[in-house]
Amino acid sequence: MSASGLRGYDLRALFGQSTTVFAAFTGPSHEIETANESFTTLFGDGGSLADLLDDVRRTGESRTDHDVRVVVGTGEDEREAFFDLTCEPRADLTGVRVIGVETTQVRNAQRLMADHRALLVQIARQAPLADVLDGMTRCIEDLAPRELVASVLLAAPDGTLRHGAAPSLPDFYNEAIDGIATGEGIGSCGTAAHRREPVITADIATDPLWTDFRHLAEQADLRACWSTPILAGDGTLLGTFAMYHRTPRTPKDTDRALIQIFADTAALAIERHHAEAAERADRMREAAVAQSRSPHPERCELGGRDACAAPAEIKVADSWGDAAWGCAAHVEEVLIHVRSVFIASEELGGLGAYLDRRNRRRNEV
């Protein structure tokens, strides 16, 4: 997805239609003389606007308030909305009138585009995958109009799903589902990964897919889970993206659009991560072959200014082509403190054999 990738999504589907409100008030107590249905639905008798109405009536001057917050609807339909309201004295000076337009759509679209652009910049700059996914989940949690928790699980080579990012889920929950299998009936995520299609659990308490995980959800105060598989361009499973809710819920068009945007973004980040890992592995293999041909010195080369007289028995190298021979103690120090260094000694058969040999020596002491 390019930096302009959001252009492929209908922002009206993401954030809904704009609402226009109008009302005319009369007298010092601001009784409604006329108003459209949207105004009375959102603002009732206008009591919440008393300060605005009083100020305009007192000064006789128009006033505009930006981003006036209103809670719209109830239950599943409840959402937060913002309006720009202009209040002006009526021509006959008997009262005031208010006209306004909803700005929620503009605010949310601007925020989404800014946050999404920042995620793409992170991916382009090869930021660690964990940082990108953590930022992505926090972004959608902040954008959503309701309380929700986002999670990413990554597909592992052994067919399981491993923890990717879930900053707002409790640790015990993340630990419990880290490494779950993919398959029918393994929660929403395991099932979505198996089916390669979204799985919507509107009520965890009654959905049979959650039989083995319902107690965990109850402990974490999770009541609904919508999981979407994250797929590569060729259809390969990369992981799952889930949105949890504190109350039973089914997704609306807005939710589905947001899910698709962030599932696509996660796919981009994970595919880039896999490509970078493959490239690093190729470089390391090439470096190991090249370094295997260098001469074997008699003494450790890793002692620095304080030369080490111990025999040089282990070769270490990095993906940039640098290599050195050292004793066991200095090689261990290098492996701990120098990033991207690997064992290049063919005699020891790699890091695993080296660690086995080190442990045997400790047991003999």
Side-chain angles (χ1 to χ4, degrees):
M1 185 184 296
S2 66
S4 60
L6 287 178
R7 295 175 185 171
Y9 296 92
D10 185 353
L11 294 182
R12 290 173 299 178
L14 281 170
F15 301 117
Q17 301 289 337
S18 179
T19 300
T20 302
V21 296
F22 168 82
F25 299 84
T26 185
S29 60
H30 309 304
E31 296 179 2
I32 292 182
E33 187 176 76
T34 183
N36 67 353
E37 183 179 355
S38 295
F39 184 92
T40 55
T41 299
L42 296 169
F43 295 95
D45 62 1
S48 61
L49 306 177
D51 291 343
L52 173 64
L53 302 176
D54 287 341
D55 183 62
V56 172
R57 180 176 175 83
R58 178 178 55 81
T59 64
E61 297 179 356
S62 298
R63 170 179 152 183
T64 297
D65 281 10
H66 297 283
D67 295 331
V68 177
R69 180 181 177 275
V70 183
V71 177
V72 181
T74 59
E76 284 194 9
D77 295 324
E78 182 179 297
R79 67 182 179 89
E80 186 179 55
F82 295 87
F83 286 80
D84 282 354
L85 299 176
T86 296
C87 185
E88 57 187 15
R90 292 169 57 172
D92 58 9
L93 302 180
T94 60
V96 296
R97 61 184 179 185
V98 174
I99 56 175
V101 63
E102 186 175 359
T103 58
T104 312
Q105 297 81 6
V106 175
R107 285 165 53 95
N108 288 345
Q110 289 175 338
R111 184 172 181 179
L112 173 61
M113 293 177 72
D115 289 346
H116 188 258
R117 187 180 301 112
L119 288 172
L120 294 177
V121 169
Q122 275 191 302
I123 296 171
R125 293 179 176 174
Q126 301 181 358
L129 179 61
D131 292 349
V132 175
L133 297 181
D134 182 86
M136 188 191 80
T137 52
R138 293 181 188 276
C139 174
I140 196 168
E141 288 173 357
D142 291 341
L143 277 171
R146 292 178 164 276
E147 182 186 8
L148 66 83
V149 178
S151 167
V152 176
L153 295 176
L154 300 175
D158 62 1
T160 62
L161 294 173
R162 305 307 303 266
H163 175 74
S168 299
L169 281 174
D171 290 342
F172 77 84
Y173 188 88
N174 287 329
E175 292 169 1
I177 66 172
D178 183 24
I180 63 169
T182 61
E184 192 70 23
I186 306 180
S188 300
C189 292
T191 304
H194 172 69
R195 295 180 183 176
R196 300 293 203 277
E197 63 183 31
V199 171
I200 305 302
T201 296
D203 189 350
I204 291 175
T206 60
D207 196 310
L209 297 179
W210 281 80
T211 299
D212 295 334
F213 302 93
R214 192 167 290 127
H215 66 290
L216 283 172
E218 291 175 354
Q219 293 177 43
D221 191 26
L222 304 174
R223 295 296 180 266
C225 180
W226 314 333
S227 183
T228 299
I230 302 171
L231 303 175
D234 61 1
T236 300
L237 179 69
L238 301 174
T240 60
F241 171 61
M243 291 171 60
Y244 295 90
H245 292 268
R246 304 296 187 187
T247 57
R249 279 198 63 199
T250 55
K252 302 182 183 302
D253 289 344
T254 300
D255 301 311
R256 295 181 188 278
L258 285 173
I259 289 169
Q260 193 57 57
I261 287 174
F262 286 99
D264 289 348
T265 304
L268 179 63
I270 297 169
E271 283 193 283
R272 172 65 67 89
H273 173 74
H274 287 174
E276 292 167 358
E279 183 180 351
R280 286 194 301 269
D282 289 342
R283 289 203 311 265
M284 292 176 68
R285 282 193 293 269
E286 292 172 0
V289 172
Q291 297 304 328
S292 66
R293 305 189 184 98
S294 60
H296 183 167
E298 293 183 3
R299 302 298 177 189
C300 174
E301 299 176 316
L302 301 174
R305 287 182 297 179
D306 301 326
C308 178
E313 57 179 343
I314 305 170
K315 187 178 184 180
V316 291
D318 60 30
S319 56
W320 289 271
D322 296 322
W325 286 84
C327 65
H330 280 116
V331 165
E332 182 174 4
E333 182 179 348
V334 168
L335 291 173
I336 293 173
H337 296 291
V338 182
R339 189 177 179 183
S340 299
V341 168
F342 57 93
I343 297 290
S345 173
E346 295 181 350
E347 292 88 342
L348 285 175
L351 179 58
Y354 163 68
L355 293 175
D356 289 341
R357 180 173 176 177
R358 183 190 64 180
N359 291 333
R360 285 198 300 273
R361 284 180 176 174
R362 287 179 176 174
N363 293 332
E364 292 172 356
V365 174

